[in-house]
Amino acid sequence: CGLRGCVRCQAVVLGKLNILVVGDSMTVDAYNVLHTVFPEVNPVLSEQSGCAPYSKMDALLRPNFPDRSDCIELNRKRFAPEFLTQFDMIAVAAQFEWYKPEHLEDFLIHVRQVIPSAKLVVFGNYITLKANCWELAAKYGIRACENPDAFDTKFNFDPELAALSERHGAIYLSLRGIFCTFGS
């Protein structure tokens, strides 16, 4: 978005293939992948830190969650049929920890109801670290990412997300399958 400008990252472009890229702060990774691999398409970013697509986010978020009301409002927009029908494809990327695959299923069911033939892509879960990256580098050195002790979780819910994607006719991109070279 730094190259395109924030407003352009959120705008549909007539005459182009428009892909909604929706999720939490991890969504930017998916946006960058799609924009790099398919430069002829128009990825549209719907992102807020800690705010994955879920229709009952008001019940899921703690009352003191930062930007709670913004997240609830963003999800109202994300679930609006007039918003969703602008897109040729919908891609979802989120960190699955407290936000679980069953929460994502809520969104996938809704998309299938609004746009039965929608092309869907689900990006798999990420690695979570035990500490901030700089702390790990200080403790384990420059090769901290090769040390299994640096990780808290590794691609949680990968099988569940793959099965969920299959049930809803979505393409599943396992980040474990793409990036994992350390055998777990």
Side-chain angles (χ1 to χ4, degrees), residues 97-118:
E97 287 180 81
W98 60 269
Y99 178 74
K100 307 254 186 266
E102 60 263 24
H103 300 127
L104 172 59
E105 187 160 30
D106 171 70
F107 183 68
L108 298 178
I109 289 169
H110 181 74
V111 169
R112 283 285 176 234
Q113 290 170 344
V114 173
I115 318 165
S117 63

Side-chain angles (χ1 to χ4, degrees), residues 2-145:
L3 297 174
R4 294 180 63 202
C6 289
V7 172
R8 286 192 204 116
C9 281
Q10 298 174 359
V12 171
V13 175
L14 295 176
K16 281 201 162 200
L17 181 73
N18 290 283
I19 302 174
L20 175 62
V21 189
V22 61
D24 59 15
S25 59
M26 300 301 168
T27 305
V28 176
D29 288 344
Y31 176 93
N32 287 331
V33 166
L34 293 169
H35 186 28
T36 302
V37 174
F38 304 108
E40 70 283 359
V41 304
N42 180 51
V44 175
L45 187 62
S46 175
E47 173 272 335
Q48 182 180 328
S49 182
C51 187
Y54 185 52
S55 65
K56 300 174 189 100
M57 196 55 90
D58 56 334
L60 188 61
L61 293 175
R62 337 179 282 282
N64 63 345
F65 187 85
D67 302 319
R68 183 179 196 277
S69 60
D70 292 340
C71 178
I72 292 166
E73 186 55 39
L74 179 60
N75 274 304
R76 281 192 191 111
K77 178 182 176 183
R78 289 170 169 172
F79 278 78
E82 62 274 6
F83 177 70
L84 290 172
T85 55
Q86 299 177 88
F87 300 99
D88 304 296
M89 180 183 283
I90 298 170
V92 182
Q95 178 70 41
F96 292 90
E97 287 180 81
W98 60 269
Y99 178 74
K100 307 254 186 266
E102 60 263 24
H103 300 127
L104 172 59
E105 187 160 30
D106 171 70
F107 183 68
L108 298 178
I109 289 169
H110 181 74
V111 169
R112 283 285 176 234
Q113 290 170 344
V114 173
I115 318 165
S117 63
K119 293 177 181 90
L120 294 168
V121 176
V122 174
F123 282 77
N125 207 12
Y126 290 78
I127 293 172
T128 56
L129 302 174
K130 288 184 178 176
N132 290 314
C133 199
W134 65 269
E135 293 170 308
L136 294 171
K139 183 174 182 177
Y140 299 114
I142 194 75
R143 301 185 74 89
C145 289

Side-chain angles (χ1 to χ4, degrees), residues 164-178:
L164 175 68
S165 298
E166 185 175 337
R167 274 197 313 276
H168 294 283
I171 296 167
Y172 181 62
L173 298 176
S174 169
L175 299 184
R176 170 185 232 139
I178 294 170

